[in-house]
Amino acid sequence: MSLVGRPLVGLLAILLAGSSIDVVFRLLPRRLLARWPLRAVFGLAALYVAAALPWFGVGLALVGAVLRVHAHRRASPQVHLPGPPRTGAPSAARAPRIDRGAVRLAAAIVAAIAVVVSWRTWLPLYWDEFVWLAKARIEADHPFGLVGEVLHANTSAIPVGYPPLEPLSVAALAGWSSDRTTLVAGTVLLQIVIASSFVLLAVDRTRPDERRSLALGMALGTAPLVLLHLRSAYVDLETGLLAGTLLLLLELGLGRAAALVAIVLVGMKDEGTVHLVAVTSAVVFLSLLRRKPSSARNAFAAAVTGLVPFALWHERLARAGIVRTDHALGGLAYGRLPTLGRMAFAHAIELLSWGPLWAVVVGMIVAAALRPRAFGRSAQLRLFVVVAQVVVFAFGLLATNGRVMEFAQGGTLVGRLLVELAPVVMLAVTAAT
Amino acid sequence: MSQAELCSGSRESLVIHGANSVCGPPPAPWWWTNAAISVFLAMASAFVFASPRARHLRRRFLSFVLVVSLPGLAAALFFRADGFGRRRETSRRIASLETSMHAFALAHGCAVVTKNDCLACEPIARFATAHAGTCTSRASIELGRTALDGTCAEIGSTLRCGAP
């Protein structure tokens, strides 16, 4: 009973919180296929601010209420659902009802994701799975106690100072049961929620006649190593999927939903902030260049909404006297660049882990640099976001202390960063084919 | 222990390196082969995506190059210690070690690892003995080199796992 019942209660609680936010602030249009998994993501945002940054949550709710009243007085915002298919069939944006074929497709996608994710050993197997689930176990034993624990100087919840949302989410989705198998069930639910949000939103954003391209992009991006991460408690793929979800929401013009996803992104992992900066700055830059001020505004608002909890969390760490060693910033060490470049190359050509993914991506970027007009606007934006992610990550790696280079040399860094890039790469490939 | 042991199915390498790559860095001759294939694929992709005449080939090209993923998929699904045929034995051993340590820690309120000769056991012990606050119990866990085989014995307030 515990294996099914507790996670079900946890999922319903998260969905209830997220649905309340959606209903009160009217964040998502009804016909969005990704509505339900996105509501669960909003529930995770609520969990994070409730557990770690309650005053930020109160402030955000007030700002949301003001925006809601303001929006009520004006015409409802436009949602940029995909235009008509090239065959000339009716537009999804104008369609009065949800396309039944799309609903069947969505159900099949979620079922497929659920099968792949849950078809794993119901036991942590890899190093960081144990580490993340150890924190989740502490949270499960002491509901809403993990944040206090990680802000404690002599904590056993190590490594110290990491954003706590992943273990909080796993414990909540496990119904706060500290049983090993139930915690894995929490992990499985979290992966299903985040992966479904991303994939269904990608379907929402894709014209029916482009779904073959989407399937190809997904197949290419689901490289063997990505598949292993999908079936694990690692946070790298989740972070990348959330970055992809953020990009898709910004493309769809759903700025306030994007802002909530930004909170989840920075709450999951430090790298989430890197993705947030890369995605939003790329969108702001290209939107201004294309004279689309509303898109730039949405991206800027999402960046600010994500960066405030990031800053507040670090302020809490500083006040608690927690010294972060893993990702501490220092000066830019340009001397690392050749070593990092060699490592990135060695990982990217590892065909057993990646298949042809990175070779194709490099080829696409070269082609886009040589002939930008060979790509549509969406493909240009997505490729630009991929490049922005790589550049911001490179600066991040040059600016962090020597500990990060130890991780890189131990083989635990570059491959995982590539896993984080894979979801946006899937979107770029989809738009380019 | 090297990452390449991942695909020979070692439990230790699975725990330590299992999520970093499918089989670890390839040995030298294969490294050069991989590099050559990747450079060729990158050039072919650049041509297919840049050339207006080859635009209609993009989907076919991607469908074709997906074949390169198949050996990695086979390695991930069959050759590693978490692949079909091996994962039951792997999980039985790891679960046995984790269960012994967790039950011991629960029985004593908490427990700390005082001796560890098994690198791969470190995260398992961290998960099994996860607790809030500082552990003041005298209960200790000693992990020998072969602790990952999953056999533990309780001696007084000490849990000894594996041969020293």
Side-chain angles (χ1 to χ4, degrees):
Chain A
M1 179 58 197
S2 168
L3 181 59
V4 178
R6 298 284 288 262
L8 200 62
V9 170
L11 180 63
L12 286 176
I14 292 290
L15 269 176
L16 188 66
S19 301
S20 309
I21 293 171
D22 182 27
V23 169
V24 172
F25 298 108
R26 289 177 66 187
L27 301 175
L28 299 172
R30 280 194 154 197
R31 60 179 180 276
L32 208 63
L33 293 177
R35 196 172 176 213
W36 281 99
L38 275 174
R39 284 178 161 188
V41 174
F42 299 161
L44 298 181
L47 176 70
Y48 182 43
V49 293
L53 308 161
W55 287 111
F56 170 70
V58 172
L60 196 66
L62 287 174
V63 172
V66 170
L67 287 175
R68 168 84 172 80
V69 171
H70 183 64
H72 194 66
R73 286 184 190 153
R74 292 171 58 193
S76 56
Q78 225 178 354
V79 177
H80 310 300
L81 282 171
R86 284 174 195 141
T87 51
S91 152
R94 283 183 222 139
R97 291 183 176 196
I98 291 176
D99 169 12
R100 286 195 176 180
V103 172
R104 276 197 292 271
L105 178 69
I109 288 169
V110 174
I113 290 172
V115 168
V116 172
V117 173
S118 55
W119 188 31
R120 56 162 290 162
T121 311
W122 284 63
L123 167 82
L125 284 181
Y126 318 134
W127 191 290
D128 280 10
E129 282 197 290
F130 292 104
V131 174
W132 288 112
L133 291 185
K135 288 186 178 180
R137 186 171 253 177
I138 293 173
E139 167 68 9
D141 280 334
H142 306 87
F144 289 90
L146 179 69
V147 171
E149 182 62 25
V150 297
L151 291 171
H152 192 267
N154 296 319
T155 180
S156 64
I158 48 176
V160 293
Y162 278 47
L165 182 53
E166 206 264 356
L168 282 172
S169 308
V170 169
L173 289 169
W176 281 277
S177 160
S178 64
D179 168 64
R180 184 179 67 211
T181 314
T182 317
L183 284 173
V184 175
T187 301
V188 165
L189 280 178
L190 183 64
Q191 292 281 19
I192 292 172
V193 162
I194 291 178
S196 302
S197 301
F198 171 75
V199 179
L200 292 182
L201 210 52
V203 175
D204 278 315
R205 182 75 182 110
T206 310
R207 279 196 294 250
D209 61 328
E210 290 172 337
R211 284 185 188 150
R212 273 186 65 197
S213 300
L214 179 64
L216 262 177
M218 295 286 168
L220 191 73
T222 313
L225 186 59
V226 173
L227 193 66
L228 286 178
H229 274 250
L230 188 62
R231 297 163 63 215
S232 80
Y234 274 58
V235 198
D236 304 280
L237 183 60
E238 286 168 7
T239 309
L241 290 167
L242 286 166
T245 305
L246 174 72
L247 174 61
L248 287 165
L249 285 169
L250 291 174
E251 285 183 2
L252 287 164
L254 297 169
R256 287 180 297 160
L260 281 186
V261 170
I263 294 171
V264 180
L265 187 56
V266 298
M268 281 286 173
K269 217 166 182 239
D270 281 335
E271 288 96 308
T273 310
V274 176
H275 287 291
L276 176 67
V277 170
V279 171
T280 52
S281 48
V283 173
V284 166
F285 181 77
L286 272 195
S287 301
L288 290 177
L289 210 65
R290 292 170 178 176
R291 299 184 183 184
K292 284 185 168 176
S294 65
S295 298
R297 256 198 316 271
N298 280 343
F300 185 72
V304 171
T305 315
L307 289 174
V308 170
F310 172 79
L312 290 175
W313 174 250
H314 282 262
E315 190 267 340
R316 282 198 78 175
L317 289 178
R319 253 192 303 144
I322 304 291
V323 181
R324 306 238 7 223
T325 50
D326 286 357
H327 300 158
L329 293 175
L332 284 170
Y334 289 107
R336 290 178 191 164
L337 211 47
T339 314
L340 284 169
R342 268 198 305 275
M343 283 180 188
F345 181 73
H347 276 271
I349 63 158
E350 212 187 273
L351 298 181
L352 286 181
S353 292
W354 290 108
L357 180 65
W358 296 111
V360 170
V361 171
V362 169
M364 277 172 54
I365 291 172
V366 169
L370 293 175
R371 288 181 62 91
R373 288 190 180 179
F375 294 86
R377 290 195 144 205
S378 181
Q380 285 174 0
L381 169 68
R382 290 171 181 186
L383 280 172
F384 189 60
V385 170
V386 173
V387 173
Q389 285 174 307
V390 172
V391 169
V392 179
F393 262 126
F395 271 104
L397 292 176
L398 297 182
T400 42
N401 62 6
R403 182 95 173 109
V404 166
M405 289 306 284
E406 285 174 30
F407 290 141
Q409 265 140 6
T412 63
L413 181 79
V414 181
R416 295 185 197 176
L417 295 186
L418 293 179
V419 168
E420 292 183 20
L421 296 179
V424 177
V425 162
M426 289 179 199
L427 299 178
V429 173
T430 302
T433 44
Chain B
M1 187 195 323
S2 74
Q3 288 194 18
E5 282 181 39
L6 265 173
C7 279
S8 60
S10 139
R11 281 191 295 275
E12 288 80 4
S13 59
L14 181 77
V15 172
I16 297 170
H17 298 297
N20 298 333
S21 59
V22 170
C23 286
W30 280 106
W31 192 94
W32 286 105
T33 310
N34 280 2
I37 293 172
S38 297
V39 170
F40 172 74
L41 281 175
M43 286 165 61
S45 307
F47 173 75
V48 170
F49 282 95
S51 163
R53 286 183 191 173
R55 195 181 177 96
H56 65 286
L57 290 177
R58 288 179 181 181
R59 281 186 190 170
R60 274 188 209 169
F61 172 76
L62 289 184
S63 312
F64 179 71
V65 298
L66 270 175
V67 175
V68 180
S69 293
L70 293 180
L73 273 178
L77 294 177
F78 298 107
F79 301 147
R80 292 161 40 113
D82 56 346
F84 296 115
R86 290 185 183 178
R87 73 177 180 188
R88 188 168 292 176
E89 177 64 8
T90 303
S91 41
R92 189 178 66 80
R93 305 270 182 147
I94 292 175
S96 165
L97 176 65
E98 195 277 331
T99 305
S100 305
M101 288 193 285
H102 186 55
F104 179 75
L106 278 183
H108 292 83
C110 62
V112 287
V113 176
T114 53
K115 179 174 176 278
N116 187 3
D117 294 329
C118 164
L119 178 62
C121 301
E122 187 184 321
I124 305 172
R126 203 187 286 181
F127 173 63
T129 62
H131 62 276
T134 311
C135 181
T136 50
S137 162
R138 288 177 58 201
S140 63
I141 296 174
E142 294 180 1
L143 298 163
R145 278 181 300 105
T146 58
L148 212 53
D149 287 343
T151 45
C152 297
E154 200 172 329
I155 302 158
S157 59
T158 300
L159 183 75
R160 285 198 183 130
C161 301

